[in-house]
Amino acid sequence: MRRVLTFSVVVAAIALLSFGVGGVVAAGPATGPSVAISSDAPASATAAECDAGAGTDLVGCWNGTHYEEDLSFNQSDGLTEAELEALTDLTMARVEHVRERPFREDVPVETVARSEFMNDSAGGGAGGSGAEFQRWNDQVWKALFVVGEDENASDAIDGVFGGAVSGFYSPAEDRIVLVVPEGEDPQIDPSTLAHELVHAMQDQYHDLSNPRYVGATQDADLAVDGVVEGEAVHIEERYDERCAANWSCLAPPDSGGGGGTTPDYNFGILQTVLQPYGDGALYVERLVDEGGWSAVNETMNEPPAATSEVIHREPDYETREVSFEDAAEGGWETYPNQGVDGADTAGEASMFVMFWYQSYEYRHAVLDPDATIRENVQIHTQTDERLRTRMNYNYAHESTDGWAGDELYPYRNGGNATDGEDGYVWVTEWQTTADAAEFREAYLRMLTAHGDDEYADGVVYEIEDGDFRGAYGVERDGTTVTVVHGPEPADVLELRPDAGFDLPSTDDGDGDETDGGDETDGTDGDDESDGTDGDDTDETDDGSDTGSDGSGGPDAATDDGTPGFGVPVAVGALLGAALVARRVRS
């Protein structure tokens, strides 16, 4: 088992930063819903009680700095080492006050230039260093229609983390490193510092190097992040409210923090990794509202096991065992030493992003075939609950609601660790037959949007070219939907010989005669809905939904105050002993 998404040991923390002028900012207007501060919290130390000799048992006081002190400097011309140390002491005191517990020891804070960080972190984001892992992980992301056949998942993940990380906390070294622009006096984002200090406090109380904070699968990893990162963002929210009300706080750096150029990320990967920070913050907020900080502590000791728990704020969310038997023929074999017995679990969050990404990147209306491309993008960007410190996104939709479990098995055939044919069998389980049918319909809309033909039930579907070319078989049996993919139609039959798929006819006329197969399926009516899948929806979209480049790009969903992707993205990560180390656990 290994980290699929992020750097070694723990999780990635993501902060969406806003532009600002480097300097001290006083109270300002609130930009989000009010965050209640518990009135029965343990009393923080008074200014008179806080002095340089105060012990670590005081809350709201660190190294003689009281949480209500004003800043005596700004960072318009950068921070000196002494100023960074003073800012760290003040921020630690304030995190203590908000979190209502003391730090146990000092947390060193250092800075590193963007170029140095990117050089050191190259290859660290993919979660595994071996060629076998990379080949296995490629199939996971290709199955999610996020990384194409001609792309490398490791490079795409590194692109997200290497170019966006603004800072990290290392549990192995008990230190924070902040990434700063190249060749400039260091300016830091105070939000990033506060966020990483929360992780330092978590580590002091819960030991973030404990294996329970690394999920065995992609979904489990994101779910654990839901409470670890959710708590950090929730405290950021409270911290920011204090800054807006009565604390003097540094404004974000002139450049938005961390340096780097305009983001050029794989937004499918980015939006997958972002899920714990928005949903997680709201999940932790509910925990605090219902059970106080003790409920958060309990959840840290027993983290969520599935993103569905975090998306729906349901700690008791029920999952189901997935039944899978490897029946592949013709030399196809799984990767028994990767994942959990060769399988990964994508989970609800990744499945939602899979469908949403088709509208963002490829202009296919998959989530809602009757809506425009812009409206499909906005399904993700429009939320009922807003955070004040960052954009948060919606990951719930009827196409993926009702997820109960999934196992995705990458396969290989022939060659060595890097050569040969690739494929996968993806078994998904749903709470009800209606949930399964909904997922199947959405999946077929996605499939046919990339192909040229309608889907004929029971017949292997071919995508001739493009990022996701190859052959696909899709079957539903009650609450189970299984997807099979191989390079050629015959490979699909070899990978799942008992599924009863038929090879596509070479005669164009014959394919239409098999289209009535949905009547035997008895549920979906997929062919009717598939008729509007990709091409028809796109034809009704005159391009006004997109940016000037004609794509469903980052700002496609920003009309009428809707949060989009125009804000610079910065990532703070929790790293292990070596920045380039990959998590590979057996």
Side-chain angles (χ1 to χ4, degrees):
M1 299 179 287
R2 85 290 302 139
R3 296 205 52 77
V4 176
L5 291 172
T6 57
F7 298 98
S8 63
V9 179
V10 199
V11 286
I14 294 187
L16 293 178
L17 307 181
S18 59
F19 292 103
V21 179
V24 179
V25 293
T31 58
S34 177
V35 182
I37 305 297
S38 175
S39 60
D40 59 355
S44 293
T46 65
E49 294 172 322
C50 184
D51 59 50
T56 58
D57 56 333
L58 286 182
V59 173
C61 172
W62 195 258
N63 285 339
T65 301
H66 189 252
Y67 73 92
E68 291 181 312
E69 289 186 18
D70 290 333
L71 286 167
S72 60
F73 54 87
N74 62 47
Q75 61 174 345
S76 57
D77 57 352
L79 294 176
T80 66
E81 185 174 339
E83 288 171 339
L84 178 57
E85 183 176 345
L87 178 63
T88 300
D89 288 341
L90 178 61
T91 307
M92 290 179 71
R94 289 175 169 181
V95 168
E96 286 187 338
H97 175 71
V98 173
R99 184 53 176 87
E100 302 167 10
R101 69 179 178 187
F103 282 93
R104 291 174 169 172
E105 58 186 34
D106 261 318
V107 182
V109 178
E110 305 168 9
T111 61
V112 64
R114 166 72 54 192
S115 60
E116 181 181 349
F117 172 80
M118 293 186 70
N119 289 336
D120 289 344
S121 64
S129 57
E132 181 179 279
F133 168 82
Q134 301 293 356
R135 184 175 174 184
W136 176 88
N137 199 37
D138 276 348
Q139 294 309 304
V140 171
W141 286 99
K142 290 173 182 177
L144 290 168
F145 276 57
V146 167
V147 173
E149 288 293 330
D150 298 321
E151 297 177 272
N152 179 281
S154 176
D155 292 342
I157 294 169
D158 286 344
V160 169
F161 284 96
V165 168
S166 61
F168 64 87
Y169 171 73
S170 168
E173 298 178 352
D174 301 322
R175 68 180 180 126
I176 291 171
V177 176
L178 303 175
V179 182
V180 298
E182 194 74 28
E184 300 178 17
D185 292 329
Q187 292 183 332
I188 66 152
D189 192 283
S191 178
T192 300
L193 177 58
H195 187 111
E196 300 310 325
L197 283 170
V198 175
H199 291 316
M201 179 179 282
Q202 290 172 333
D203 189 36
Q204 291 178 14
Y205 281 84
H206 299 283
D207 184 10
L208 292 181
S209 62
N210 190 299
R212 69 169 170 258
Y213 298 115
V214 180
T217 67
Q218 176 162 313
D219 190 56
D221 231 8
L222 289 169
V224 171
D225 290 0
V227 65
V228 176
E229 300 301 341
E231 181 185 15
V233 175
H234 179 64
I235 292 175
E236 271 190 81
E237 294 281 293
R238 292 188 167 193
Y239 193 108
D240 184 75
E241 181 171 306
R242 295 287 190 180
C243 287
N246 53 20
W247 286 348
S248 66
C249 303
L250 287 182
D254 299 331
S255 64
T261 58
T262 301
D264 184 20
Y265 313 131
N266 180 310
F267 266 80
I269 293 173
L270 180 62
Q271 293 308 112
T272 301
V273 178
L274 276 169
Q275 183 270 331
Y277 311 104
D279 280 338
L282 298 170
Y283 175 78
V284 168
E285 181 181 15
R286 180 169 297 184
L287 291 175
V288 173
D289 287 344
E290 295 179 355
W293 288 116
S294 62
V296 179
N297 294 337
E298 291 169 4
T299 306
M300 282 290 295
N301 291 331
E302 295 184 29
T307 54
S308 294
E309 295 182 41
V310 181
I311 292 170
H312 303 289
R313 329 286 192 252
E314 295 183 21
D316 297 323
Y317 190 94
E318 293 185 4
T319 58
R320 188 175 303 158
E321 291 293 327
V322 176
S323 177
F324 170 79
E325 182 177 349
D326 180 13
E329 303 172 344
W332 288 98
E333 58 182 359
T334 62
Y335 295 76
N337 296 322
Q338 302 298 333
V340 178
D341 298 325
D344 202 351
T345 295
E348 184 174 350
S350 297
M351 288 179 171
F352 172 89
V353 173
M354 172 178 69
F355 290 146
W356 169 82
Y357 189 61
Q358 308 315 305
S359 60
Y360 174 83
E361 181 69 18
Y362 298 102
R363 294 175 43 79
H364 298 319
V366 173
L367 287 171
D368 186 349
D370 297 322
T372 65
I373 301 301
R374 179 185 297 276
E375 289 167 338
N376 270 262
V377 171
Q378 289 177 331
I379 291 171
H380 181 46
T381 61
Q382 292 179 325
T383 60
D384 294 332
E385 300 175 280
R386 299 285 180 86
L387 299 175
R388 59 182 295 130
T389 59
R390 69 195 60 227
M391 300 297 182
N392 60 296
Y393 303 98
N394 171 56
Y395 292 83
H397 189 265
E398 52 263 31
S399 297
T400 49
D401 285 350
W403 176 92
D406 73 87
E407 292 181 359
L408 199 169
Y409 289 87
Y411 276 81
R412 57 188 168 185
N413 195 337
N416 52 36
T418 58
D419 297 327
E421 295 182 318
D422 297 305
Y424 53 81
V425 175
W426 189 9
V427 185
T428 70
E429 188 66 33
W430 301 88
Q431 303 287 356
T432 68
T433 55
D435 294 330
E438 191 80 44
F439 172 77
R440 180 179 182 271
E441 289 178 11
Y443 188 89
L444 293 179
R445 285 196 295 270
M446 178 179 70
L447 203 62
T448 55
H450 285 278
D452 297 324
D453 302 312
E454 294 185 357
Y455 182 83
D457 188 62
V459 179
V460 176
Y461 188 84
E462 284 189 276
I463 298 177
E464 297 292 342
D465 52 30
D467 287 346
F468 307 105
R469 60 188 177 272
Y472 297 82
V474 184
E475 64 169 346
R476 184 180 72 80
D477 182 7
T479 58
T480 304
V481 178
T482 302
V483 177
V484 186
H485 168 67
E488 302 292 339
D491 298 318
V492 173
L493 271 60
E494 290 181 346
L495 283 163
R496 204 70 172 165
D498 297 333
F501 292 122
D502 293 328
L503 293 173
S505 173
T506 56
D507 184 340
D508 292 340
D510 291 344
D512 292 338
E513 294 177 8
T514 65
D515 224 28
D518 266 346
E519 297 178 6
T520 62
D521 190 63
T523 56
D524 299 326
D526 297 290
D527 289 346
E528 184 178 346
S529 64
D530 288 342
T532 63
D533 286 356
D535 297 337
D536 290 352
T537 302
D538 288 348
E539 287 172 7
T540 65
D541 182 25
D542 62 4
S544 62
D545 295 338
T546 66
S548 60
D549 62 353
S551 69
D555 297 318
T558 58
D559 284 3
D560 303 322
T562 303
F565 306 104
V567 182
V569 178
V571 181
L574 290 164
L575 302 185
L579 204 56
V580 297
R582 285 79 163 181
R583 163 69 69 182
V584 180
R585 296 187 298 135
S586 58

